[in-house]
Amino acid sequence: AVSDMETAYTDASQRQNTQGYNKGGGNIGGMTLTPGVYTFFIAIRINADVTFSGGADDVFILQTTGELLQAASTKVILKGRAQAKNIFWQVEGRVLVGKTAVMQ
């Protein structure tokens, strides 16, 4: 399992950006994200609910050289046929998920 995780992390880190850099200044709360590769050179912050909208086979990759910070009581929402198994977070820093926050 650890080997699979390392392989997925390395693969995600090597994907080329398709959705721009530092979207929303790092604050993706309140946004609806479509499939693709999002690259951040700053922390990714989820201060409000964020939605991933796509089809059953669509892939979302979020890369950051910083941290991933999800505020308390916020949700990561899947819309359409988007699936949690197709969302990859490639985070070099720490990951903090606030109390009662939901990340599917």
Side-chain angles (χ1 to χ4, degrees):
V2 171
S3 177
D4 290 341
M5 180 188 66
E6 290 172 343
T7 300
Y9 183 90
T10 300
D11 180 66
S13 72
Q14 295 172 352
R15 297 290 180 109
Q16 295 300 309
N17 179 284
T18 63
Q19 297 291 338
Y21 296 92
N22 296 327
K23 188 169 186 78
N27 185 4
I28 62 171
M31 293 185 178
T32 297
L33 303 179
T34 56
V37 179
Y38 297 81
T39 303
F40 299 83
F41 299 105
I42 54 179
I44 299 173
R45 298 180 184 280
I46 304 172
N47 294 324
D49 295 350
V50 61
T51 302
F52 289 85
S53 180
D57 296 322
D58 289 337
V59 174
F60 305 80
I61 298 174
L62 290 90
Q63 309 164 326
T64 182
T65 58
E67 302 173 319
L68 172 60
L69 308 168
Q70 183 178 2
S73 303
T74 60
K75 297 179 185 135
V76 173
I77 299 167
L78 305 178
K79 185 176 176 186
R81 297 180 60 212
Q83 298 188 57
K85 70 179 185 176
N86 294 334
I87 301 172
F88 300 91
W89 303 86
Q90 191 262 322
V91 181
E92 288 187 24
R94 61 189 178 150
V95 175
L96 298 173
V97 178
K99 185 176 180 180
T100 70
V102 177
M103 182 176 283
Q104 298 180 341

